[in-house]
Amino acid sequence: MSRLKRVLVVLTAVAVALVAAVGGGFFWLYTDAEVSTVGTSFSREMAVPPLAEPTVERDGTKVFDLTMQAGHKEFRRGQQTPTWGFNGDYLGPTLRAERGDKVEVRIRNTLGETSTVHWHGMHLPAAMDGGPHQTVAPGGTWAPRWTVDQPAASLWYHPHPHGTTEEHVRRGLAGMFLLDDERSAKLPLPKRYGVDDLPVIVQDVRFDGSKFDHGHKLMAGSGFLGDRTMVNGTLDPYKEVGDERVRLRLLNASTARVYQFGFADDRRFSLVASDGGLLEKAAATDRIRLSPGERAEIVVTMRPGERAVLRSHPENLGDFWQTRFNGGDDAFDVLELRAAKTLRPSPELPAELGEPELPDAGESVRTRFFGLQRSGINGRPMSMDRIDETVTRGTTETWVLRNDDGMPHNFHVHDVQFRVLEVDGRQPPPHLRGAKDTVFVPGNRSVKIALRFTGPADPDTPYMYHCHLLYHEDEGMMGQFVVVEKGQRAGDVRVPHSHAGH
Ligand code: C2O
Ligand code: CU
Ligand code: CU
């Protein structure tokens, strides 16, 4: 062989080996990316977060106490996992109030670092919102108070410290905040908490020995993805039910995972509420997609003695690549409902449910555009001392949200419940026709929403809008807006002092 030939042979061999290595590596990443817990055996009774008992002050204010604390929880036999929780080791109690109630929540932070507590979906003054500006120092307290003034809904609460929200939520700091109103009290919907009306807080998790694995998977740009799910902090959960109809208040409290909920047997169920409360009419469906932060209330009909498995099915999250590496091909058996041999009959679902108080697009006074990219919204990463948008109290606006980088993103706005006007130029599907505070924005698509800002005005204290994939939020996919009186300008935002030392 000539020298040239030998060189060529060696080069070819090297090239083939390289291609094989890269191809093999990719194949490994590709196969490793998919997880499934379909067929799991449901071995633990689902925990139901306790209802918090408020103390009632003389003026009727309901006062709740929440202590942020570190602890341990035995998710799996013999394995003590370090956790955080509110008033306990993991997650927090369910707070409950009625429209018109004055509420106060006394927060005590016994963690070793600064945190905040945000009331997701609640309409309230910016200073009570619990965003990154209302910090609670280690050992400190904070006692926001407000008057509940919005329709019945399943809201939730979780920390919101800038840059560390993902970690604080994933360690276990989250809970539900249920609102009732006169109308919801009278509706013949399942409403016995923990019996036929079940909070279903879904989170994905991965363990590293006895500890949580908090690492991100290679290639998963959306953030942390677990390899199994839990409901209310229970792995492989089942729940015995004794009623013909069961209402599930689904909350996606995962930090990055998008679920496509349905049942293993593809049975149909009734969607009765979205983020901000009851729909006008129930919508029959067999799937409901929830991205992080979103809620849906569904009512499922049970047959005596049967078992029904709530499953998260694979779904398209954009293109092939984004779908595969951000968990779109994954499937989870989330919760098994075990019906008793004889079931208490439940009333038929009412034909009319809620009266969503949604803004009217015809009243919109201006349109704003939000380009969503992991590197920042409208090209700017979040800055605590910059007000991005100033809106006038009492006005309605149209916001156009566009996913510019193809990665899974959603969009959450504090203080308001908005109306989805269009998804990619089309009428929204039934599950997006109710009140929403968080909406999924598929890759390279756009969503148009109408929002109404009713105040109170506070030019110095911003509310947030952000991607609720918490890793993205922490990275800076967040912006700040203030609500001002007509003609007023945004004030100076003072950045709180963090005593966390990070
Ligand atoms: Cu659920 Cu700004 O958060
Ligand atoms: Cu929020
Ligand atoms: Cu995002």
Side-chain angles (χ1 to χ4, degrees):
M1 262 200 278
S2 74
R3 195 195 154 101
L4 180 66
K5 256 191 180 162
R6 259 181 284 147
V7 171
L8 278 176
V9 168
V10 170
L11 279 179
T12 311
V14 169
V16 166
L18 261 176
V19 168
V22 170
F26 181 77
F27 182 75
W28 180 82
L29 282 172
Y30 181 83
T31 21
D32 183 58
E34 187 189 351
V35 298
S36 169
T37 61
V38 167
T40 192
S41 55
F42 297 90
S43 52
R44 296 177 187 83
E45 192 179 344
M46 182 187 87
V48 175
L51 275 175
E53 278 292 334
T55 55
V56 182
E57 286 188 338
R58 227 191 265 153
D59 70 347
T61 303
K62 290 183 177 160
V63 181
F64 297 95
D65 286 283
L66 286 181
T67 300
M68 308 171 89
Q69 58 193 71
H72 282 86
K73 185 174 156 75
E74 196 174 307
F75 293 96
R76 296 165 303 159
R77 207 178 305 266
Q79 307 261 14
Q80 291 290 336
T81 301
T83 52
W84 285 357
F86 290 100
N87 299 358
D89 290 330
Y90 193 76
L91 298 178
T94 297
L95 309 189
R96 190 151 202 171
E98 278 163 54
R99 188 169 199 163
D101 277 348
K102 289 191 279 256
V103 297
E104 175 174 332
V105 191
R106 297 192 177 141
I107 313 276
R108 224 156 55 85
N109 178 2
T110 71
L111 305 168
E113 48 183 287
T114 297
S115 193
T116 84
V117 183
H118 166 59
W119 319 104
H120 181 128
M122 195 78 74
H123 170 53
L124 77 188
M128 308 298 162
D129 188 43
H133 292 271
Q134 290 86 43
T135 52
V136 195
T141 59
W142 182 56
R145 44 194 306 154
W146 69 94
T147 301
V148 174
D149 188 15
Q150 66 192 89
S154 301
L155 313 182
W156 66 302
Y157 60 94
H158 63 79
H160 216 302
H162 186 40
T164 48
T165 295
E166 184 198 37
E167 195 197 329
H168 286 213
V169 173
R170 192 127 48 78
R171 286 181 177 208
L173 293 171
M176 278 207 168
F177 202 138
L178 307 184
L179 299 183
D180 306 298
D181 61 19
E182 270 177 36
R183 194 183 168 91
S184 72
K186 286 196 207 109
L187 283 176
L189 284 172
K191 51 166 82 79
R192 278 165 301 145
Y193 183 81
V195 180
D196 63 356
D197 180 359
L198 307 174
V200 178
I201 305 174
V202 184
Q203 297 174 299
D204 60 339
V205 67
R206 208 162 62 208
F207 289 94
D208 172 10
S210 62
K211 295 205 184 81
F212 283 144
D213 179 349
H214 282 192
H216 295 183
K217 269 189 164 177
L218 222 58
M219 322 286 287
S222 56
F224 170 85
L225 294 173
D227 57 8
R228 57 200 298 190
T229 53
M230 39 189 196
V231 176
N232 305 338
T234 309
L235 290 164
D236 301 317
Y238 66 83
K239 173 74 182 158
E240 279 158 8
V241 294
D243 291 273
E244 189 189 345
R245 283 185 232 284
V246 180
R247 174 188 194 169
L248 304 179
R249 298 185 190 244
L250 303 171
L251 157 62
N252 181 353
S254 306
T255 59
R257 168 80 63 187
V258 180
Y259 298 100
Q260 178 80 348
F261 290 114
F263 284 85
D265 60 3
D266 287 327
R267 75 180 56 201
R268 292 174 79 74
F269 52 85
S270 299
L271 178 73
V272 297
S274 54
D275 299 338
L278 295 164
L279 306 178
E280 244 168 81
K281 288 182 170 32
T285 181
D286 59 359
R287 293 285 187 276
I288 173 77
R289 173 164 65 196
L290 293 184
S291 66
E294 287 184 286
R295 288 90 62 211
E297 295 179 29
I298 65 171
V299 174
V300 57
T301 303
M302 304 293 298
R303 285 181 299 266
E306 74 162 340
R307 294 182 172 195
V309 173
L310 178 73
R311 177 175 291 173
S312 176
H313 297 267
E315 71 189 305
N316 189 350
L317 289 180
D319 58 22
F320 156 83
W321 182 275
Q322 298 295 351
T323 296
R324 184 65 176 196
F325 291 109
N326 294 304
D329 290 332
D330 300 352
F332 297 97
D333 274 358
V334 175
L335 168 67
E336 186 180 63
L337 297 174
R338 297 184 179 170
K341 292 270 177 302
T342 52
L343 294 173
R344 283 181 290 268
S346 310
E348 287 286 329
L349 286 191
E352 315 266 307
L353 297 169
E355 283 171 333
E357 293 166 14
L358 292 173
D360 187 347
E363 285 167 14
S364 173
V365 297
R366 68 173 285 178
T367 301
R368 298 177 202 253
F369 292 89
F370 297 87
L372 308 185
Q373 260 177 316
R374 210 176 127 182
S375 52
I377 296 173
N378 287 339
R380 286 176 304 201
M382 158 82 173
S383 173
M384 292 275 286
D385 56 11
R386 183 191 68 229
I387 299 298
D388 298 278
E389 310 292 341
T390 302
V391 304
T392 305
R393 189 179 69 80
T395 63
T396 299
E397 298 196 356
T398 307
W399 289 12
V400 178
L401 322 168
R402 202 184 49 230
N403 181 328
D404 281 342
D405 65 6
M407 205 172 271
H409 296 301
N410 67 12
F411 196 78
H412 167 52
V413 187
H414 287 206
D415 182 48
V416 295
Q417 292 293 334
F418 51 76
R419 181 199 291 271
V420 178
L421 299 170
E422 282 173 20
V423 177
D424 231 20
R426 276 194 290 270
Q427 252 230 304
H431 75 275
L432 295 180
R433 290 190 199 149
K436 295 287 293 168
D437 56 52
T438 308
V439 66
F440 188 62
V441 186
N444 304 312
R445 303 288 178 82
S446 68
V447 175
K448 201 196 252 188
I449 61 178
L451 319 84
R452 188 170 162 78
F453 303 91
T454 56
D458 182 347
D460 302 319
T461 314
Y463 294 105
M464 306 294 130
Y465 54 83
H466 57 91
C467 177
H468 216 289
L469 277 70
L470 299 181
Y471 173 52
H472 293 176
E473 176 192 326
D474 284 342
E475 280 186 316
M477 243 190 117
M478 178 154 67
Q480 312 196 99
F481 72 98
V482 287
V483 178
V484 300
E485 294 295 354
K486 191 164 189 222
Q488 212 179 12
R489 287 166 168 273
D492 285 320
V493 190
R494 274 170 300 275
V495 178
H497 223 72
S498 168
H499 300 278
H502 60 245

